[in-house]
mmCIF file of all heavy atoms in Angstrom:
data_model
loop_
_atom_site.group_PDB
_atom_site.id
_atom_site.type_symbol
_atom_site.label_atom_id
_atom_site.label_comp_id
_atom_site.label_asym_id
_atom_site.label_seq_id
_atom_site.Cartn_x
_atom_site.Cartn_y
_atom_site.Cartn_z
ATOM 1 N N ALA A 239 18.726 -3.664 -38.407
ATOM 2 C CA ALA A 239 20.120 -3.860 -38.805
ATOM 3 C C ALA A 239 20.905 -2.557 -38.799
ATOM 4 O O ALA A 239 22.136 -2.552 -38.612
ATOM 5 C CB ALA A 239 20.163 -4.490 -40.204
ATOM 6 N N GLU A 240 20.209 -1.442 -38.996
ATOM 7 C CA GLU A 240 20.887 -0.134 -39.008
ATOM 8 C C GLU A 240 20.992 0.458 -37.595
ATOM 9 O O GLU A 240 21.486 1.579 -37.435
ATOM 10 C CB GLU A 240 20.147 0.858 -39.909
ATOM 11 C CG GLU A 240 20.416 0.671 -41.392
ATOM 12 C CD GLU A 240 19.690 -0.554 -41.936
ATOM 13 O OE1 GLU A 240 18.492 -0.726 -41.607
ATOM 14 O OE2 GLU A 240 20.328 -1.359 -42.645
ATOM 15 N N GLY A 241 20.494 -0.254 -36.625
ATOM 16 C CA GLY A 241 20.581 0.244 -35.249
ATOM 17 C C GLY A 241 19.432 1.120 -34.837
ATOM 18 O O GLY A 241 19.428 1.671 -33.731
ATOM 19 N N ARG A 242 18.437 1.252 -35.719
ATOM 20 C CA ARG A 242 17.276 2.057 -35.349
ATOM 21 C C ARG A 242 16.363 1.270 -34.414
ATOM 22 O O ARG A 242 16.179 0.058 -34.595
ATOM 23 C CB ARG A 242 16.491 2.475 -36.604
ATOM 24 C CG ARG A 242 17.207 3.520 -37.445
ATOM 25 C CD ARG A 242 16.375 3.817 -38.677
ATOM 26 N NE ARG A 242 16.202 2.615 -39.501
ATOM 27 C CZ ARG A 242 16.442 2.565 -40.816
ATOM 28 N NH1 ARG A 242 16.833 3.648 -41.458
ATOM 29 N NH2 ARG A 242 16.253 1.445 -41.491
ATOM 30 N N VAL A 243 15.816 1.976 -33.470
ATOM 31 C CA VAL A 243 14.909 1.334 -32.509
ATOM 32 C C VAL A 243 13.590 0.999 -33.213
ATOM 33 O O VAL A 243 12.936 1.875 -33.764
ATOM 34 C CB VAL A 243 14.643 2.255 -31.294
ATOM 35 C CG1 VAL A 243 13.610 1.618 -30.354
ATOM 36 C CG2 VAL A 243 15.938 2.542 -30.539
ATOM 37 N N VAL A 244 13.236 -0.279 -33.184
ATOM 38 C CA VAL A 244 11.977 -0.687 -33.816
ATOM 39 C C VAL A 244 10.936 -1.096 -32.778
ATOM 40 O O VAL A 244 9.762 -1.243 -33.093
ATOM 41 C CB VAL A 244 12.194 -1.843 -34.818
ATOM 42 C CG1 VAL A 244 13.023 -1.366 -36.003
ATOM 43 C CG2 VAL A 244 12.841 -3.041 -34.140
ATOM 44 N N GLU A 245 11.386 -1.301 -31.562
ATOM 45 C CA GLU A 245 10.435 -1.591 -30.492
ATOM 46 C C GLU A 245 10.983 -1.024 -29.188
ATOM 47 O O GLU A 245 12.179 -1.161 -28.906
ATOM 48 C CB GLU A 245 10.202 -3.098 -30.330
ATOM 49 C CG GLU A 245 9.130 -3.409 -29.299
ATOM 50 C CD GLU A 245 8.890 -4.911 -29.115
ATOM 51 O OE1 GLU A 245 9.872 -5.682 -29.224
ATOM 52 O OE2 GLU A 245 7.743 -5.297 -28.853
ATOM 53 N N SER A 246 10.104 -0.378 -28.451
ATOM 54 C CA SER A 246 10.545 0.186 -27.174
ATOM 55 C C SER A 246 9.408 0.084 -26.166
ATOM 56 O O SER A 246 8.280 -0.266 -26.521
ATOM 57 C CB SER A 246 10.982 1.638 -27.345
ATOM 58 O OG SER A 246 9.894 2.422 -27.762
ATOM 59 N N PHE A 247 9.732 0.429 -24.958
ATOM 60 C CA PHE A 247 8.731 0.355 -23.892
ATOM 61 C C PHE A 247 8.899 1.555 -22.981
ATOM 62 O O PHE A 247 10.000 1.840 -22.508
ATOM 63 C CB PHE A 247 8.906 -0.942 -23.091
ATOM 64 C CG PHE A 247 7.869 -1.134 -22.016
ATOM 65 C CD1 PHE A 247 6.534 -1.298 -22.345
ATOM 66 C CD2 PHE A 247 8.234 -1.176 -20.684
ATOM 67 C CE1 PHE A 247 5.575 -1.479 -21.354
ATOM 68 C CE2 PHE A 247 7.284 -1.368 -19.691
ATOM 69 C CZ PHE A 247 5.947 -1.524 -20.031
ATOM 70 N N SER A 248 7.798 2.268 -22.750
ATOM 71 C CA SER A 248 7.820 3.465 -21.899
ATOM 72 C C SER A 248 6.900 3.245 -20.707
ATOM 73 O O SER A 248 5.678 3.404 -20.828
ATOM 74 C CB SER A 248 7.344 4.692 -22.685
ATOM 75 O OG SER A 248 8.146 4.900 -23.823
ATOM 76 N N PRO A 249 7.452 2.879 -19.576
ATOM 77 C CA PRO A 249 6.592 2.692 -18.390
ATOM 78 C C PRO A 249 5.847 3.981 -18.055
ATOM 79 O O PRO A 249 6.355 5.085 -18.291
ATOM 80 C CB PRO A 249 7.586 2.332 -17.281
ATOM 81 C CG PRO A 249 8.796 1.829 -17.989
ATOM 82 C CD PRO A 249 8.870 2.600 -19.268
ATOM 83 N N ASP A 250 4.662 3.818 -17.491
ATOM 84 C CA ASP A 250 3.810 4.985 -17.237
ATOM 85 C C ASP A 250 4.403 5.948 -16.219
ATOM 86 O O ASP A 250 4.345 7.158 -16.399
ATOM 87 C CB ASP A 250 2.434 4.515 -16.728
ATOM 88 C CG ASP A 250 1.695 3.694 -17.765
ATOM 89 O OD1 ASP A 250 1.763 4.056 -18.957
ATOM 90 O OD2 ASP A 250 1.060 2.691 -17.396
ATOM 91 N N PHE A 251 4.971 5.391 -15.139
ATOM 92 C CA PHE A 251 5.439 6.245 -14.056
ATOM 93 C C PHE A 251 6.856 5.859 -13.635
ATOM 94 O O PHE A 251 7.243 4.693 -13.708
ATOM 95 C CB PHE A 251 4.529 6.122 -12.823
ATOM 96 C CG PHE A 251 3.181 6.746 -13.005
ATOM 97 C CD1 PHE A 251 2.113 5.995 -13.490
ATOM 98 C CD2 PHE A 251 2.964 8.082 -12.713
ATOM 99 C CE1 PHE A 251 0.863 6.568 -13.672
ATOM 100 C CE2 PHE A 251 1.724 8.667 -12.887
ATOM 101 C CZ PHE A 251 0.674 7.910 -13.373
ATOM 102 N N TYR A 252 7.575 6.876 -13.153
ATOM 103 C CA TYR A 252 8.833 6.630 -12.468
ATOM 104 C C TYR A 252 8.764 7.346 -11.127
ATOM 105 O O TYR A 252 8.392 8.528 -11.064
ATOM 106 C CB TYR A 252 10.021 7.159 -13.273
ATOM 107 C CG TYR A 252 11.342 7.012 -12.548
ATOM 108 C CD1 TYR A 252 11.826 5.748 -12.213
ATOM 109 C CD2 TYR A 252 12.092 8.131 -12.197
ATOM 110 C CE1 TYR A 252 13.025 5.605 -11.542
ATOM 111 C CE2 TYR A 252 13.300 7.994 -11.524
ATOM 112 C CZ TYR A 252 13.756 6.731 -11.200
ATOM 113 O OH TYR A 252 14.953 6.583 -10.530
ATOM 114 N N LEU A 253 9.081 6.618 -10.066
ATOM 115 C CA LEU A 253 9.084 7.190 -8.722
ATOM 116 C C LEU A 253 10.540 7.357 -8.303
ATOM 117 O O LEU A 253 11.186 6.384 -7.895
ATOM 118 C CB LEU A 253 8.343 6.278 -7.728
ATOM 119 C CG LEU A 253 6.975 5.736 -8.185
ATOM 120 C CD1 LEU A 253 6.313 4.960 -7.052
ATOM 121 C CD2 LEU A 253 6.072 6.841 -8.676
#
Side-chain angles (χ1 to χ4, degrees):
Chain A
E240 281 74 45
R242 289 178 299 231
V243 176
V244 293
E245 185 180 34
S246 63
F247 183 64
S248 302
D250 297 320
F251 289 91
Y252 176 62
L253 313 185

